[in-house]
Amino acid sequence: MIEMNGFVFVNVHFACLMFMLSCFTSSSPQLVINIKNQGGDVLQEVLASNVSEDVVELEYQRADGTIVTQLLDFRREVQIYRLLILAEEEQVYLKSIQPPYYQAVCFASKLSKQDFIAADAIAKLRQKNPHTVRYPEEDNGHENATFEYTLDISRSKVISNHIQPLCIDAKTIYVQEADLKVWAAIGNPNEAIMVLDAAQHMVRPASRCKDLSVSNTNSSSMSCQCRLNFCVPWYPCGLKFCRGHDQQTGKALSYRCGIKTCKKCLNYAFPVKNSQFCPWDDY
C-alpha cells in the first residue's frame, strides 16, 4: 500500500475484492442482493449484521469502480460512509505502481435508528430466490450535508470503535458540528470533552474545486469546496406488519411479515486542501 499526495493507492488484488466487510468475521450472516441501478446495470450489495456488536454493514461497487461501504453502529448512534474512489488516469504518475488506485474518503454522522432495521432483524433476513433482481419500494430522495470538521482517527473510539478500522486508509474523516454536540451529550462529561477535542474545524473555502482551473498554477495549493454525490440503491428501511387472528381466541393480532426497502442518495460538501483531492467534482 502506498500513500501519495493524500491518495491511498492499493493494488487490485487487495482493494478490488469487491466486498471486503472488514468489521465482520466470516461467521457473520451475510446476504448478497442483486440491485439494478438507474443506468440498467445489475450491481451486487452485500448486507451483513453483527448482533453482538449491534452493527450492520452494507457494501457495493458502483459501475465506475467506486466501492461504497455504509456501517451503522446502533449502540453509539453513528453512521459511517467510506468510499474507495478510483483515481483519474492523469493522477497516476508513479510508473512503478500498477492500477487501479483508490482514494479513500470517510464521513461519520448521527444515526437515526428509525430509518433502518436493527441488527438482530437484519440477521434473520433470508432470500427465497438469491438470483432475483431487487428494486427499492421507496425513494427517499437526496440528503444534502456540509461537513466542516475533521476527526482525529487516533481519538475516534470515543465516538465509535468502528471508525478507525473502517477508515484507516482515509486521509480525512469528515463530521458535522451538530452531530459532535449530540454525541458529546450521550456520554458522561469526560467523554463529552474527549468527543469535542477529537474534532478540528476547517474554514469553508470560497471556491468550488470544479471552478478552479487546472491551468492555474496557484490552484494546486488552494483549498476548495469539494462535492461528492453517491447513493445507497437498496437497503432495508423498515418492517412490515400484517394483521391476523389468534386461532384459539379469535382475537386480532399483528405480526412481522416482511421488510420495507428504500433508496437514498447523498450530496456531501466538504473542504479539501486542493483540487487534486477532488477530481470527481463535476456536477
Side-chain angles (χ1 to χ4, degrees), residues 23-24 48 50-58 70-81 108-113 116-119 156-166 183 186:
C23 295
F24 295 89
N50 187 321
V51 177
S52 62
E53 294 288 332
D54 204 9
V55 168
V56 171
E57 188 170 351
L58 181 151
Q70 179 189 31
L71 187 144
L72 309 175
D73 182 349
F74 287 93
R75 187 171 297 170
R76 302 303 295 270
E77 299 186 19
V78 178
Q79 177 177 229
I80 309 165
Y81 286 106
S109 59
K110 173 71 170 58
L111 171 64
S112 297
K113 294 182 179 181
F116 303 95
I117 293 178
S156 62
K157 287 185 178 180
V158 68
I159 295 175
S160 171
N161 291 330
H162 302 283
I163 294 176
Q164 184 168 6
L166 185 64
W183 294 326
I186 292 176

Side-chain angles (χ1 to χ4, degrees), residues 14-276:
F14 297 96
C16 206
L17 297 175
M18 284 177 53
F19 304 112
M20 299 185 302
L21 296 177
S22 55
C23 295
F24 295 89
T25 65
S26 58
S27 61
S28 298
Q30 296 184 8
L31 288 177
V32 178
I33 312 294
N34 296 308
I35 312 295
K36 184 171 287 189
N37 65 11
Q38 292 181 343
D41 300 315
V42 176
L43 309 175
Q44 285 191 324
E45 286 186 0
V46 170
L47 184 65
S49 174
N50 187 321
V51 177
S52 62
E53 294 288 332
D54 204 9
V55 168
V56 171
E57 188 170 351
L58 181 151
E59 190 167 84
Y60 76 98
Q61 187 172 30
R62 301 196 315 189
D64 64 0
T66 298
I67 299 175
V68 180
T69 306
Q70 179 189 31
L71 187 144
L72 309 175
D73 182 349
F74 287 93
R75 187 171 297 170
R76 302 303 295 270
E77 299 186 19
V78 178
Q79 177 177 229
I80 309 165
Y81 286 106
R82 183 196 64 185
L83 288 86
L84 297 178
I85 304 171
L86 188 65
E88 300 292 331
E89 184 176 354
E90 59 268 19
Q91 295 173 307
V92 182
Y93 55 86
L94 289 183
K95 296 181 180 180
S96 60
I97 308 176
Q98 298 299 316
Y101 312 117
Y102 292 85
Q103 178 184 358
V105 185
C106 254
F107 305 90
S109 59
K110 173 71 170 58
L111 171 64
S112 297
K113 294 182 179 181
Q114 65 271 18
D115 295 336
F116 303 95
I117 293 178
D120 59 342
I122 293 290
K124 297 174 184 177
L125 295 180
R126 299 292 184 269
Q127 290 191 94
K128 293 182 179 179
N129 187 355
H131 302 291
T132 300
V133 177
R134 310 289 177 180
Y135 299 87
E137 296 171 295
E138 293 187 8
D139 187 340
N140 286 336
H142 287 74
E143 176 184 315
N144 299 305
T146 299
F147 295 80
E148 295 182 349
Y149 281 78
T150 61
L151 186 64
D152 184 345
I153 192 170
S154 65
R155 293 190 282 178
S156 62
K157 287 185 178 180
V158 68
I159 295 175
S160 171
N161 291 330
H162 302 283
I163 294 176
Q164 184 168 6
L166 185 64
C167 301
I168 191 65
D169 293 329
K171 188 69 175 179
T172 307
I173 302 168
Y174 294 96
V175 292
Q176 298 178 85
E177 181 179 13
D179 294 334
L180 288 170
K181 291 179 178 179
V182 172
W183 294 326
I186 292 176
N188 58 50
N190 290 333
E191 288 182 339
I193 296 174
M194 294 171 65
V195 168
L196 298 177
D197 285 347
Q200 181 179 0
H201 182 257
M202 298 183 72
V203 177
R204 182 172 182 173
S207 301
R208 278 278 302 274
C209 292
K210 75 169 188 174
D211 297 330
L212 294 179
S213 173
V214 293
S215 61
N216 186 342
T217 56
N218 295 325
S219 64
S220 61
S221 60
M222 294 174 58
S223 63
C224 55
Q225 189 79 348
C226 183
R227 291 190 182 180
L228 182 59
N229 181 23
F230 62 98
C231 299
V232 181
W234 185 98
Y235 64 95
C237 55
L239 296 171
K240 290 182 179 179
F241 291 87
C242 296
R243 292 184 177 182
H245 293 83
D246 186 285
Q247 293 182 351
Q248 296 181 349
T249 64
K251 292 183 178 180
L253 53 81
S254 62
Y255 58 93
R256 293 182 183 180
C257 56
I259 61 171
K260 180 176 69 174
T261 59
C262 296
K263 169 189 175 181
K264 189 175 187 178
C265 293
L266 304 107
N267 296 325
Y268 282 173
F270 52 98
V272 294
K273 292 182 179 180
N274 57 65
S275 58
Q276 294 180 6

